[in-house]
Amino acid sequence: KNEVEQSPQNLTAQEGEFITINCSYSVGISALHWLQQHPGGGIVSLFMLSSGKKKHGRLIATINIQEKHSSLHITASHPRDSAVYICAVRGSGGGADGLTFGKGTHLIIQP
Amino acid sequence: DAGVIQSPRHEVTEMGQEVTLRCKPISGHDYLFWYRQTMMRGLELLIYFNNNVPIDDSGMPEDRFSAKMPNASFSTLKIQPSEPRDSAVYFCASSPGFLGNEQFFGPGTRLTVL
């Protein structure tokens, strides 16, 4: 079973700061997802990637398949970015098509 | 599209009672997933279906849990009998056809077993 580790577990920053959240996994994957869970509990998919980099607005996600590592970056952070960010991976074959999740990074952006 | 619909949103029950959680996936999505989220364990996959057929139920904690998908637009997760340690948020998610697609999550059902 894949082990998914996220760091940091908790992060508090000031509005405008550049944010980086890291995710490492132990076994080869077919895809990696970054999810955002709002304070109300709803989960939204931010990115799904299997190689390279993706950008959406102020969010950037990168993945290094060889190093089994992904990062989520937030530029010009804003209080509305405060949420739990969860990394999840999908196996590369022979197992569940569901996701294995990291424990999440609790991000607070202070005005 | 209304997205993935789950009901009820909140459920409070007493230990030993039967609990049924319901999910309507996004129309046209071939995959349906049930997840459980707790403070201690985070998000965990319980079971998933492909074209209404259960593919992997290895995450189902024990025989008290069962899931069905009688048709493409409806799935249930049943707990009988319920126990306090089953208290969690249960999410349903759906995904179109094949591997590598984004999953769309429902709002979740918050279950409290007293």
Side-chain angles (χ1 to χ4, degrees):
Chain A
K1 182 181 175 180
N2 221 329
E3 299 293 330
V4 181
E5 298 288 337
Q6 285 187 239
S7 64
Q9 289 186 334
N10 298 282
L11 178 58
T12 300
Q14 296 297 311
E15 183 174 356
E17 287 189 35
F18 182 81
I19 304 299
T20 296
I21 299 171
N22 297 299
C23 175
S24 297
Y25 51 93
S26 58
V27 180
I29 62 171
S30 60
L32 182 143
H33 298 246
W34 281 103
L35 309 172
Q36 180 190 55
Q37 186 165 28
H38 298 287
I43 297 175
V44 174
S45 177
L46 297 175
F47 294 103
M48 186 194 65
L49 63 166
S50 55
S51 65
K53 179 170 78 172
K54 287 191 176 181
K55 184 176 187 295
H56 185 259
R58 296 179 295 105
L59 302 178
I60 304 167
T62 64
I63 188 169
N64 185 317
I65 296 296
Q66 286 72 32
E67 295 186 2
K68 296 185 177 63
H69 180 268
S70 174
S71 293
L72 175 68
H73 305 285
I74 305 175
T75 62
S77 59
H78 190 275
R80 63 174 176 266
D81 297 326
S82 299
V84 177
Y85 292 84
I86 302 170
C87 170
V89 301
R90 173 171 286 165
S92 58
D97 297 324
L99 300 175
T100 302
F101 298 88
K103 295 287 190 219
T105 294
H106 189 188
L107 174 66
I108 297 174
I109 303 297
Q110 295 177 335
Chain B
D1 196 326
V4 176
I5 299 172
Q6 290 187 247
S7 65
R9 295 292 306 277
H10 301 273
E11 176 81 23
V12 180
T13 190
E14 292 187 349
M15 183 174 63
Q17 297 297 307
E18 177 179 296
V19 175
T20 300
L21 311 181
R22 298 172 176 80
C23 176
K24 176 179 169 55
I26 293 173
S27 177
H29 282 192
D30 295 332
Y31 284 80
L32 184 140
F33 305 84
W34 282 101
Y35 296 99
R36 178 173 68 176
Q37 185 177 38
T38 61
M39 290 292 293
M40 290 296 295
R41 299 172 68 90
L43 274 160
E44 301 173 285
L45 173 67
L46 298 177
I47 186 173
Y48 80 96
F49 295 83
N50 180 20
N51 291 323
N52 313 337
V53 176
I55 303 300
D56 187 340
D57 65 354
S58 59
M60 296 284 263
E62 47 197 274
D63 292 344
R64 298 184 297 106
F65 285 68
S66 62
K68 294 182 180 180
M69 192 165 185
N71 56 63
S73 60
F74 183 67
S75 177
T76 59
L77 177 68
K78 185 176 294 186
I79 308 172
Q80 167 64 20
S82 58
E83 296 182 4
R85 60 193 168 119
D86 302 330
S87 298
V89 180
Y90 292 81
F91 288 97
C92 175
S94 70
S95 176
F98 48 91
L99 287 180
N101 280 78
E102 180 181 0
Q103 292 190 13
F104 296 82
F105 285 77
T109 294
R110 182 173 296 276
L111 173 65
T112 302
V113 183
L114 303 175

